[in-house]
């Protein structure tokens, strides 16, 4: 039986096989473009622009840097790329990911490994670093929930945990046109790559 098409043509011209991705088919411009157009919270946020996964990723990397100021640059890069597979598989809220089951996680893991290898990171981030990035991710989710997604502080505390007030006060959610976010994401990636 013939395998159905499982690849997607990228704007860079690359053809990415979603089921068997290779690092050679991954370009940062494709990631930045895709993430800048993927809305978090299924687009259910206040403002004139969707809050994109690219903007979220920039914020998570900033928070991670505040929490772990002596972290190696490669782990800041891992924080920036923590949701990178969503440039081709989209963003789903956590309850939906759980309902979809392990297939989504397997797909996400394969894409993440290829992305990491493409940019000189280990295929799998050490557990301790992954937990630190996840903590920064939850702080970002709390900020997003309260500032733009209509959650009360009590609801956000319940679902994401209370953030460190010093970090929470120093971070602002920004809603910008996708092209600006795409350019900033690409520039931040280039800066981190230059520092490796």
């Amino acid at each position: 039986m013939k395998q159905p098409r499982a690849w997607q043509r990228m704007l860079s011209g690359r053809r990415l096989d979603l089921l068997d991705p290779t690092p050679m088919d991954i370009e940062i411009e494709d990631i930045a473009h895709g993430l800048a157009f993927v809305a978090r919270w299924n687009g259910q946020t206040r403002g004139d622009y969707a809050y994109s996964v690219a903007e979220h990723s920039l914020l998570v990397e900033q928070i991670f840097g505040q929490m772990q100021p002596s972290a190696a640059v490669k782990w800041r890069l891992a924080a920036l790329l923590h949701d990178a597979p969503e440039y081709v598989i989209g963003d789903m809220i956590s309850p939906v990911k759980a309902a979809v089951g392990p297939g989504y996680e397997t797909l996400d893991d394969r894409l993440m490994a290829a992305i990491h290898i493409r940019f000189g990171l280990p295929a799998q981030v050490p557990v301790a670093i992954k937990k630190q990035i996840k903590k920064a991710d939850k702080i970002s989710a709390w900020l997003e929930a309260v500032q733009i997604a209509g959650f009360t502080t009590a609801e956000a505390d319940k679902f994401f945990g209370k953030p460190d007030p010093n970090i929470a006060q120093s971070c602002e959610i920004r809603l910008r046109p996708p092209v600006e976010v795409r350019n900033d994401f690409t520039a931040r990636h280039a800066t981190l790559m230059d520092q490796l």
Side-chain angles (χ1 to χ4, degrees), residues 16-38:
L16 180 66
D17 185 331
L18 301 178
L19 301 179
D20 188 22
T22 66
M24 289 180 52
D25 292 323
I26 292 168
E27 298 293 341
I28 194 60
E29 293 80 10
D30 293 331
I31 293 172
H33 181 81
L35 294 182
F37 283 91
V38 173

Side-chain angles (χ1 to χ4, degrees), residues 3-25:
Q3 178 78 11
R5 180 175 78 89
W7 56 266
Q8 179 174 338
R9 174 80 57 198
M10 299 288 128
L11 289 178
S12 65
R14 298 285 190 191
R15 192 166 89 166
L16 180 66
D17 185 331
L18 301 178
L19 301 179
D20 188 22
T22 66
M24 289 180 52
D25 292 323

Side-chain angles (χ1 to χ4, degrees), residues 93-172:
I93 59 173
S94 296
V96 174
K97 286 180 186 175
V100 169
Y104 179 88
E105 189 175 343
T106 300
L107 184 61
D108 186 79
D109 289 346
R110 284 183 189 156
L111 284 161
M112 186 62 86
I115 291 164
H116 279 180
I117 292 166
R118 170 66 175 88
F119 299 114
L121 297 171
Q124 296 209 357
V125 173
V127 173
I129 300 296
K130 200 168 186 174
K131 284 182 180 176
Q132 293 166 353
I133 293 171
K134 187 64 180 171
K135 187 173 181 181
D137 190 32
K138 283 193 167 198
I139 293 170
S140 179
W142 186 95
L143 291 164
E144 295 162 23
V146 170
Q147 291 183 27
I148 59 171
F151 283 57
T152 65
T153 300
E155 286 174 319
D157 289 350
K158 177 182 174 184
F159 292 114
F160 308 109
K162 288 184 181 184
D164 176 327
N166 295 324
I167 293 175
Q169 289 173 358
S170 69
C171 298
E172 181 184 348

